[in-house]
Every structure is written in structure tokens, then in C-alpha cells.
Amino acid sequence: MKPARFEYVAPATLDAAVEALAAANGEGKVLAGGQSLLPLLNFRMARPTVLVDLNGIKDLSFIELRGDSVAIGALTRHREIEHSPLIASRLPVMSAAMRHVAHLAIRNRGTIGGSLSHADPAAELPMMAMLYGASLTVQGPGGRRTLMAKDFFVDALTNCLEPEDIVVEIEFPILQHDGWAFEEVARRFGDFALASIAISIRRDKSGIEDARVAVMGVADTPLRLENVEKQLCEIEVDSRMLDRFSELVTSSVTPNSDLHASAEYRKHLLGELAKRAMRTALAAKG
Ligand SMILES: Cc1cc2nc3c(=O)[nH]c(=O)nc-3n(C[C@H](O)[C@H](O)[C@H](O)COP(=O)(O)OP(=O)(O)OC[C@H]3O[C@@H](n4cnc5c(N)ncnc54)[C@H](O)[C@@H]3O)c2cc1C
């Protein structure tokens, strides 16, 4: 199919893009990598009257260290994140997750701003935003404001942006960890995940003193399991630890069944991935 008719604008600055979007009175859409939006246009599931192309705004593409955080411009391509030495050294869980994002051709075009805004519940970058406790800088007609990832993902394919907002950059706090892991199962490599878990742990003499746990594919949005994180700090690192962690994780989620997998299968899968992830994270200390 072909898209419905729309007006195309390609502004050179962010201010001009916000202006063009605001002028569309809620009927405009931002175009970034186009990997999710163009199929929606072609199937006429999205019918914007104006398409505002961000690709000419060069200062939206960067990866930079800012004190204890790494800031990534919204137009930064998945492939740049995947191959960034800065991301590999400071945000290693994200680095490991990137090779699971779709296929090479899609990673060459897809952007972090597009992935977060599209808010697929089984996409890796939204999950990373939850794991790291990322903040998003957003610009609208009223100026810039900051949104936390935990407030950004509202439902499947739904974020909390106003129609005239543009995501400008995303800041990921660097986690201090002794061990971390990323585990995912998809039906074919590069497909959206059936279930996935990412963890980061800091250990002390008696066990785990701090933990981050995020999951995806098992709810309408990616989830950070703060309750599990707290309980992890109270359980002993002994031979039963992997099973206990797996139980904690699976009892915290209520997946849906769909044509890709049943709810029971997703839960079982997540439990197994949780064990695998914790085994890897604990082994890193040794
Ligand atoms: C076959 C296939 C497999 C895929 N598999 C995976 C996968 O396994 N994991 C995964 O994570 N992703 C996957 N994707 C999605 C891919 O990562 C997309 O690139 C991504 O979801 C959207 O990024 P984009 O830059 O292409 O955004 P676009 O398609 O251009 O835009 C997507 C949406 O975000 C909005 N938007 C874009 N940028 C901004 C911004 N800066 N501010 C506000 N709104 C904005 C657009 O208006 C649109 O609504 C897959 C896609 C395809 C086609």
C-alpha cells in the first residue's frame, strides 16, 4: 500500500521543527529513521497531514560523557550506539542489548529517539531507559522539559508526549556494578523479544548491596522491578539463590498471550532467563 497524502517538511533546526509540528495542530508526525513510522504510513494506520523530517538537524546526533551520565542525541542511529566505545565502557548492558535490535539494515537507520517514542513493549532501548533510570529532554512550543523514563512509557506503543513535542536527547546515569547481564529470546535473531531481562548488581561481603532489574516482552511497557531489586539485597547468595531470584521475577509480572507466545510460556521463559542472567552477573565478580 501507499501512504495517504501528506505535506513533507525538512527543517534545518530544532526550533523550526517544533514550529512546523505545532502548526499542524496535532495532525503532524516526526520522521526519524522511518523504520516503524513508514510501515504505519503505508498501511494507513497513521495518517498525518504533515511529516516533519528530523534528519537534517545534525546536532541531534551525538554520544557524549557528561559527568556521571552518558547523553545520547535523539537522532543517534542504533548502529552508532552499538559500536560506540563510550557506550561499551560506561553503559555495557546497553552495548550488549544493541545487537538484539532488529537487523543490520534497520539498525543503520533506526534512532534512539524513534525507538523510545514508538514505545514498543518488546524493544531493547526502552528497556535500557528503564534499567538505567534515564531522563528524556523534550522540546515543545513552551520550551524544554525533562521526563523520566518511568513516566514516559504509558502503554503499548504509547508515550506521554504531546503531539507537538520532540525528544531531543536522553541521559543515562552510569551504574556502578560488579556484575551485569542481558538475556533475551526471540523466535528469530533480530525479531522483537518474547521475553528479556537485564540486571546489574553491586556486591558486598555478605551478598548483594544494590541491584537493578528490568524486563520486557512480559507487559504492555518495559518494567523496572524495584520490588525485586529490594528483595535481592535481603537474600543470601547460596545454592538456592538462582531459583529464588527466578521466582521473585516471575511472580512480579503478568504477561499477556498473543500470536507469538502464551502468557505461561513467556513467564516460564523469563524465569529461565532470570537464572541465566544472575549466574552471569555473579560469575563476573570472581
Ligand atoms: C522488521 C523490523 C524489526 C524490528 N525489530 C526490532 C527489535 O528487535 N528491537 C527494537 O528495539 N526495535 C525493532 N524494530 C524497530 C526499530 O528499532 C525502529 O528503528 C524504531 O522502533 C523506530 O526508530 P526510528 O528512528 O526508525 O523511528 P521512526 O519510524 O521514524 O518513528 C517512530 C515513531 O516515533 C516518533 N518519533 C521519532 N523520533 C522522534 C523524536 N525525536 N521525538 C518525538 N517523536 C519521535 C515518530 O513520529 C513515530 O511515531 C524493528 C523494526 C522493523 C521494521
Side-chain angles (χ1 to χ4, degrees):
M1 283 188 65
K2 288 197 169 63
R5 182 178 286 272
F6 57 82
E7 190 191 330
Y8 172 81
V9 287
T13 66
L14 189 59
D15 287 347
V18 170
E19 207 173 297
L21 208 52
N25 293 320
E27 301 293 323
K29 275 253 168 225
V30 162
L31 173 68
Q35 301 304 298
S36 299
L37 182 57
L38 290 188
L40 293 176
L41 294 180
N42 287 341
F43 283 117
R44 301 201 174 192
M45 292 166 78
R47 288 169 167 259
T49 55
V50 181
L51 211 55
V52 180
D53 187 346
L54 299 183
N55 287 277
I57 309 175
K58 296 299 171 224
D59 50 5
L60 279 184
S61 178
F62 60 86
I63 301 174
E64 64 185 40
L65 186 61
R66 277 195 206 150
D68 294 337
S69 300
V70 176
I72 306 179
L75 204 64
T76 309
R77 312 280 170 193
H78 299 331
R79 190 89 172 127
E80 292 166 52
I81 299 173
E82 183 185 1
H83 290 283
S84 161
L86 180 61
I87 300 287
S89 64
R90 306 301 172 113
L91 307 175
V93 195
M94 184 189 294
S95 196
M98 288 314 293
R99 54 191 286 272
H100 295 267
V101 177
H103 312 282
L104 181 57
I106 293 167
R107 294 202 295 275
N108 278 336
R109 288 300 300 165
T111 67
I112 185 168
S115 178
L116 298 191
S117 303
H118 190 60
D120 192 296
E124 287 77 9
L125 281 166
M127 179 203 197
M128 289 300 115
M130 293 297 288
L131 179 82
Y132 282 98
S135 56
L136 294 88
T137 302
V138 168
Q139 186 166 327
R144 289 195 178 193
R145 64 191 194 284
T146 303
L147 300 169
M148 297 308 295
K150 67 180 171 53
D151 303 317
F152 187 78
F153 304 107
V154 176
D155 205 344
L157 306 178
T158 310
N159 60 47
C160 70
L161 292 176
E162 298 297 332
E164 54 282 336
D165 284 338
I166 295 178
V167 178
V168 179
E169 64 173 44
I170 307 96
E171 200 163 317
F172 292 83
I174 295 166
L175 298 176
Q176 303 302 325
H177 34 212
D178 297 310
W180 58 268
F182 177 87
E183 290 289 345
E184 166 173 331
V185 167
R187 294 190 74 160
R188 294 170 308 181
F189 194 80
D191 280 2
F192 282 103
L194 293 179
S196 175
I197 184 166
I199 64 174
S200 159
I201 56 170
R202 226 176 47 225
R203 296 187 63 177
D204 58 15
K205 283 195 193 89
S206 58
I208 291 174
E209 65 169 353
D210 196 25
R212 289 284 173 101
V213 180
V215 296
M216 67 159 170
V218 289
D220 289 336
T221 63
L223 301 174
R224 182 170 157 203
L225 304 181
E226 290 184 59
N227 199 29
V228 174
E229 292 170 1
K230 281 194 202 98
Q231 294 184 67
L232 253 183
C233 298
E234 287 156 19
I235 62 179
E236 268 181 61
V237 179
D238 58 16
S239 58
R240 292 170 43 236
M241 200 268 189
L242 296 184
D243 287 334
R244 293 182 69 190
F245 176 56
S246 172
E247 280 162 29
L248 283 174
V249 169
T250 51
S251 60
S252 306
V253 299
T254 315
N256 293 320
S257 294
D258 59 24
L259 81 164
H260 301 296
S262 66
E264 293 73 26
Y265 179 68
R266 281 183 199 270
K267 206 165 184 162
H268 173 76
L269 188 57
L270 185 67
E272 292 305 310
L273 294 179
K275 285 186 218 171
R276 235 188 251 177
M278 185 53 78
R279 196 178 294 122
T280 303
L282 290 173
K285 179 71 177 172

